[in-house]
Amino acid sequence: ERTAVQKALKREESRIPADIDYTVMKGLRYEARERLQRVRPLSIGQALRIPGITPADMVMLSVEIRKLS
């Protein structure tokens, strides 16, 4: 349980840049790009709670965020 809590906290701490443009991310499904662009989550944890966003979408988003850093 401790590991699950630590992972959840890490996701909440993983910030998404405010100016990120989801529409140009080829690795994300169209539905994910559309929802992320509309909601504009502040963290990976928030993004995962958006209906229709899958863990695979978050892996792709994390890769894109690392490229920007």
Side-chain angles (χ1 to χ4, degrees), residues 19-52:
D19 62 343
I20 197 163
D21 184 2
Y22 299 102
T23 61
V24 298
M25 295 183 183
K26 302 287 186 213
L28 287 175
R29 295 175 306 114
Y30 177 79
E31 178 185 12
R33 285 183 282 180
E34 185 177 75
R35 289 179 185 215
L36 290 166
Q37 191 70 25
R38 184 170 23 98
V39 175
R40 309 291 305 169
L42 300 175
S43 70
I44 297 292
Q46 285 181 345
L48 274 169
R49 291 190 294 272
I50 299 170

Side-chain angles (χ1 to χ4, degrees), residues 59 61-69:
V59 169
L61 178 59
S62 296
V63 168
E64 292 293 331
I65 290 171
R66 275 189 235 122
K67 285 181 186 178
L68 297 173
S69 299

